[in-house]
Amino acid sequence: MTAPRATKRKRPAQKVRENLPAPQTDEGLLFHYTAYEAAPWTPYSGRTLADMIARREIDFVHTGRGNFLTGTQIVALVEARTVKPFKKPAQSAA
């Protein structure tokens, strides 16, 4: 006699609103995005952003109903994770 197999319960798909303003626009800077809505503008997946928010690794807005990222926070996140090209320091003529 074998033990019954455990079944995995699938999570429901996250709802993503349509026609969202881009985070860089005037309207988007103050707009509240879920982690899954913010993902296309970041180098992370929605799940990774949600995990980073849960671990308090990035700035976010807690409204009592959920956790959100504003456009300003998305832009700051992308800029903080952007690697700048290396410039050699100027040679001093001595």
Side-chain angles (χ1 to χ4, degrees):
M1 184 164 172
T2 60
R5 296 184 77 181
T7 58
K8 270 191 165 179
R9 191 172 69 172
K10 286 192 173 186
R11 290 183 173 199
Q14 294 292 325
K15 294 181 184 175
V16 177
R17 297 172 284 182
E18 295 183 16
N19 301 325
L20 297 174
Q24 302 85 351
T25 62
D26 291 336
E27 181 185 357
L29 289 176
L30 299 177
F31 192 84
H32 287 71
Y33 301 88
T34 65
Y36 291 88
E37 293 168 344
W41 288 289
T42 67
Y44 303 106
S45 68
R47 176 58 190 237
T48 302
L49 286 173
D51 289 344
M52 291 170 78
I53 289 171
R55 291 189 303 261
R56 309 291 198 261
E57 293 178 1
I58 58 175
D59 292 336
F60 66 97
V61 177
H62 179 71
T63 62
R65 289 186 64 182
N67 299 323
F68 298 94
L69 295 164
T70 63
T72 306
Q73 291 167 331
I74 295 169
V75 171
L77 174 69
V78 171
E79 288 177 359
R81 303 300 200 274
T82 301
V83 177
K84 307 287 187 217
F86 177 74
K87 273 190 170 178
K88 275 188 168 181
Q91 297 276 338
S92 60

